[in-house]
């Protein structure tokens, strides 16, 4: 059974600092990995999708890496801003069309 | 930008009552999902739906739950007789077809409170 873990559960940084969020999964046979942002009481906003054949994906200040063999992904957010404060979730999918398995999320606070 | 829309945003119901949560997926998407998130817990998979039938369901999705795509645009989740433990945020998601199109898009959620 796939287990997804995100450490740390919470993170507080001063504005301008780079953020590093970690995600690990137990079964390396994944189809892709997706990072989401969730604001309090809101839905999930897709940030990045990394397919199993890729090692990284970039969008603006966001960069996500994937190391399937070690079961890890890292989300980097450069030059953090207070507006980046949210919970960040990673999720993996085993095969096309199948369910996403989510981690517990990392709650980020960027202090001005 | 196309988005997944869900109604209602919040529903309060009495235990034992039936509840229907509605979703309008992105128009050209073919795979539809329901997930739920109990307060403070992980997002959990409930069911996936493709080609007018359930393709996978979790152990949470028992006989009290059902899904339907009554027309070309709506996708509904019905809970027949709600229990206190059904209180959660319910998310609908959809994705497109094709081997490289794996990205799921989620709605804003429907918060269900069972009293």
């Amino acid at each position: 059974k796939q287990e997804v873990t995100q450490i740390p559960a919470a993170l507080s940084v001063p504005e301008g600092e780079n953020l590093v969020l970690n995600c690990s999964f137990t079964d390396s046979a994944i189809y892709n990995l997706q990072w989401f942002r969730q604001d309090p009481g809101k839905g999930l906003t897709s940030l990045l999708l990394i397919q199993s054949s890729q090692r990284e994906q970039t969008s603006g200040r966001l960069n996500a890496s994937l190391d399937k063999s070690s079961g890890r992904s890292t989300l980097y957010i450069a030059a953090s801003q207070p507006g980046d404060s949210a919970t960040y979730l990673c999720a993996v999918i085993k095969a096309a069309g199948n369910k996403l398995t989510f981690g517990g999320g990392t709650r980020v606070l960027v202090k001005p | 930008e196309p988005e997944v829309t869900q109604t209602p945003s919040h529903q309060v119901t009495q235990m034992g009552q039936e509840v229907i949560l509605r979703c309008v997926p992105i128009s050209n998407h073919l795979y539809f999902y329901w997930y739920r998130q109990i307060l403070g817990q992980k997002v959990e998979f409930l069911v996936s739906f493709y080609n007018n039938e359930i393709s996978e369901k979790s152990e949470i999705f028992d006989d009290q739950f059902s899904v339907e795509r009554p027309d070309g645009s709506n996708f509904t989740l019905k809970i027949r007789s709600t229990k206190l433990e059904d209180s959660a945020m319910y998310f609908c998601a959809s994705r497109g077809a094709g081997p490289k199109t794996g990205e799921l898009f989620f709605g804003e959620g429907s918060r269900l409170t069972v009293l």
Side-chain angles (χ1 to χ4, degrees):
Chain A
K1 182 187 170 187
Q2 179 74 271
E3 296 285 344
V4 181
T5 304
Q6 292 185 249
I7 294 173
L11 185 60
S12 179
V13 299
E15 182 177 2
E17 198 164 292
N18 295 333
L19 284 163
V20 181
L21 309 179
N22 298 302
C23 172
S24 61
F25 45 95
T26 54
D27 185 349
S28 62
I30 64 169
Y31 182 70
N32 61 40
L33 184 146
Q34 197 167 351
W35 281 94
F36 295 90
R37 169 184 171 136
Q38 184 177 30
D39 291 289
K42 297 293 187 180
L44 307 176
T45 301
S46 179
L47 297 174
L48 289 167
L49 172 78
I50 310 179
Q51 292 168 357
S52 60
S53 58
Q54 298 176 315
R55 292 196 63 86
E56 70 175 321
Q57 193 67 252
T58 298
S59 175
R61 292 185 295 114
L62 276 59
N63 174 276
S65 66
L66 174 64
D67 184 343
K68 261 184 57 175
S69 60
S70 67
R72 294 178 192 278
S73 177
T74 303
L75 178 67
Y76 301 90
I77 303 178
S80 62
Q81 303 167 358
D84 294 329
S85 297
T87 296
Y88 292 84
L89 302 168
C90 74
V92 298
I93 186 167
K94 186 166 184 177
N98 282 13
K99 62 183 182 183
L100 283 172
T101 301
F102 281 83
T106 295
R107 191 170 67 254
V108 170
L109 175 64
V110 180
K111 296 178 285 188
Chain B
E1 185 175 322
E3 59 182 18
V4 177
T5 58
Q6 291 186 241
T7 56
S9 57
H10 189 193
Q11 181 156 356
V12 181
T13 190
Q14 294 291 324
M15 191 169 55
Q17 295 297 303
E18 177 183 283
V19 160
I20 297 176
L21 305 178
R22 291 181 168 81
C23 170
V24 179
I26 294 173
S27 64
N28 61 346
H29 282 186
L30 299 178
Y31 297 86
F32 313 113
Y33 306 83
W34 284 101
Y35 289 79
R36 79 174 186 188
Q37 186 178 32
I38 295 171
L39 189 63
Q41 297 187 23
K42 289 185 177 183
V43 177
E44 303 174 287
F45 167 77
L46 292 178
V47 65
S48 59
F49 193 86
Y50 171 71
N51 201 24
N52 284 319
E53 61 182 21
I54 291 173
S55 49
E56 188 176 357
K57 60 183 180 180
S58 72
E59 57 272 16
I60 302 168
F61 194 89
D62 61 21
D63 292 345
Q64 292 301 311
F65 291 87
S66 63
V67 289
E68 195 176 39
R69 188 156 163 81
D71 52 42
S73 60
N74 291 285
F75 180 50
T76 62
L77 174 70
K78 182 193 290 186
I79 309 174
R80 286 191 188 82
S81 177
T82 50
K83 302 188 278 282
L84 295 176
E85 54 265 37
D86 294 328
S87 294
M89 182 76 97
Y90 288 80
F91 294 109
C92 174
S94 70
R95 75 172 185 87
K100 296 297 186 183
T101 310
E103 190 171 9
L104 264 71
F105 295 89
F106 282 75
E108 286 290 298
S110 293
R111 180 170 299 283
L112 176 64
T113 302
V114 182
L115 303 176

